[in-house]
């Protein structure tokens, strides 16, 4: 396995600065944030270390992206973009799908061969209604991925944290049950999972068993932890807003058993990219804290990934 990090935490850094930090800290790869240029609508979104549209139109820029990473001996694991491709607003939906298709083409051009994303969800509709949206929206995306030979890794984050994402959340592929349903609708070898165990912890789902069940669909892996606060959970229950009873933490600071998790990945022969995702609020607020978060996470996960 190759250890890296999700670049969105370095939102104040240029592409070159981000790659330099990865190299200086001894990381082997980065999952490069590639949002469209513009204002972020939520935390950890809107970061653009690689401009996908420019990659497609500017040969010198595309060459610089690959050459600079190669020179620093840092691989780009994936081009990352986490919007809602099934947003109820048709304008937002169309924009997300268009950028995703460009991202797929850019990933192919850069020789990366992977994008990581959410599948999206209309939070006002049922699971069954959203599965119908998958049938409507996603076949053309999969067709683009297949023609470009680029794999799509869907992260299992429910995108359901507070009032603005209530009641259904903004990502459908959050449980093993929904994985199966979507894979039946879209039976492509280019569609798989960006596996983050932390999201299963707060959903009260076994985060080990699905590794074995979906071993052929795990394209990419996130290392992020979650801490559950039992006293708060007793007050609000599992139907409360999730951030009322849990919080994202650095690996080792929460409830994931990382030895068991990485052991299961070795059982299935996974030898791909593993990227630390920092969303721990304690490590926000300054460049020094962000760098510390990466150093601490790397030191901890290096017990399991060399």
């Amino acid at each position: 396995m190759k250890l890296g990090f999700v670049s969105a935490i370095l939102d104040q850094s240029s592409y070159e600065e981000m790659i330099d930090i990865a190299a200086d800290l001894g990381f082997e790869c980065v999952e490069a944030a590639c949002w469209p240029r513009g204002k972020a609508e939520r935390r950890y979104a809107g970061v653009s270390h690689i401009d996908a549209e420019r990659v497609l139109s500017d040969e010198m820029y595309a060459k610089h992206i690959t050459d600079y990473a190669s020179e620093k001996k840092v691989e780009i694991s994936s081009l990352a973009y986490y919007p809602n491709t099934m947003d109820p607003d048709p304008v937002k939906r169309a924009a997300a799908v268009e950028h995703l298709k460009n991202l797929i083409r850019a990933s192919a051009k850069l020789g990366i061969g992977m994008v990581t994303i959410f599948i999206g969800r209309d939070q006002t509709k049922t699971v069954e209604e959203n599965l119908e949206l998958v049938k409507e929206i996603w076949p053309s995306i999969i067709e683009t991925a297949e023609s470009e030979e680029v794999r799509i890794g869907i992260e299992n984050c429910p995108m359901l944290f507070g009032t603005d994402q209530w009641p259904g959340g903004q990502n459908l592929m959050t449980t093993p049950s929904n994985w199966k349903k979507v894979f039946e609708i879209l039976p492509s070898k280019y569609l798989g999972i960006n596996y983050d165990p932390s999201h299963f912890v707060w959903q009260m789902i076994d985060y080990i068993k699905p590794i074995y069940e979906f071993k052929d669909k795990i394209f990419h892996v996130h290392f992020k932890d979650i801490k559950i606060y039992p006293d708060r959970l007793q007050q609000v229950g599992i139907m409360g807003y999730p951030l009322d009873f849990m919080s994202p933490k650095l690996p080792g600071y929460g409830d994931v058993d990382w030895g068991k998790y990485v052991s299961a990945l070795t059982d299935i022969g996974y030898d791909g990219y593993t990227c630390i995702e920092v969303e721990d609020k304690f490590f926000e607020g300054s460049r020094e804290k962000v760098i510390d978060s990466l150093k601490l996470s790397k030191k901890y996960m290096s017990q399991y990934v060399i």
Side-chain angles (χ1 to χ4, degrees), residues 78-90:
S78 170
L79 300 186
Y81 172 49
Y82 294 95
N84 187 355
T85 65
M86 301 201 294
D87 193 291
D89 182 329

Side-chain angles (χ1 to χ4, degrees), residues 33-247:
C34 298
W35 289 72
R37 298 290 180 180
K39 184 179 179 181
E41 294 185 356
R42 65 173 194 270
R43 292 169 68 221
Y44 312 115
V47 184
S48 187
H49 284 127
I50 297 175
D51 185 331
E53 282 73 20
R54 188 177 172 190
V55 166
L56 297 175
S57 63
D58 186 337
E59 293 293 335
M60 292 298 293
Y61 174 73
K63 186 176 186 302
H64 172 69
I65 293 297
T66 55
D67 287 353
Y68 198 86
S70 178
E71 176 188 332
K72 298 292 182 174
K73 297 181 171 55
V74 175
E75 295 183 38
I76 300 172
S77 68
S78 170
L79 300 186
Y81 172 49
Y82 294 95
N84 187 355
T85 65
M86 301 201 294
D87 193 291
D89 182 329
V91 175
K92 290 183 178 179
R93 180 190 300 178
V97 170
E98 180 183 9
H99 185 67
L100 173 55
K101 289 180 178 179
N102 283 336
L103 209 62
I104 291 168
R105 298 181 185 106
S107 185
K109 185 171 182 177
L110 294 172
I112 296 165
M114 192 180 308
V115 299
T116 36
I117 193 168
F118 300 138
I119 202 162
R121 177 172 178 161
D122 183 335
Q123 66 196 60
T124 68
K125 296 183 182 297
T126 65
V127 169
E128 291 75 19
E129 289 170 330
N130 272 280
L131 290 170
E132 292 303 312
L133 280 179
V134 170
K135 295 176 185 178
E136 173 188 336
I137 296 166
W138 270 79
S140 68
I141 298 171
I142 297 299
E143 182 180 344
T144 302
E146 290 177 339
S147 66
E148 298 288 347
E149 298 184 342
V150 169
R151 297 192 296 171
I152 300 173
I154 305 292
E155 187 184 350
N156 52 306
C157 174
M159 287 307 295
L160 174 58
F161 297 108
T163 56
D164 58 332
Q165 297 161 334
W166 202 259
Q170 297 175 353
N171 185 27
L172 183 65
M173 285 185 69
T174 65
T175 65
S177 175
N178 284 355
W179 287 354
K180 291 176 186 176
K181 292 170 184 175
V182 172
F183 289 143
E184 287 173 1
I185 294 170
L186 303 169
S188 173
K189 68 179 183 179
Y190 289 97
L191 182 66
I193 300 161
N194 183 13
Y195 202 119
D196 186 328
S198 69
H199 300 303
F200 282 164
V201 171
W202 67 266
Q203 291 183 88
M204 315 300 168
I205 295 172
D206 184 340
Y207 55 88
I208 301 296
K209 185 178 179 181
I211 293 174
Y212 298 95
E213 185 177 0
F214 294 91
K215 62 181 181 180
D216 296 328
K217 284 292 191 178
I218 299 175
F219 291 173
H220 197 274
V221 167
H222 274 177
F223 288 159
K224 184 177 69 185
D225 221 329
I226 284 286
K227 185 173 183 178
I228 302 291
Y229 302 95
D231 56 332
R232 300 181 193 175
L233 182 58
Q234 291 301 316
Q235 291 295 315
V236 302
I238 60 171
M239 296 181 71
Y241 299 126
L243 286 176
D244 285 348
F245 63 83
M246 66 80 167
S247 62

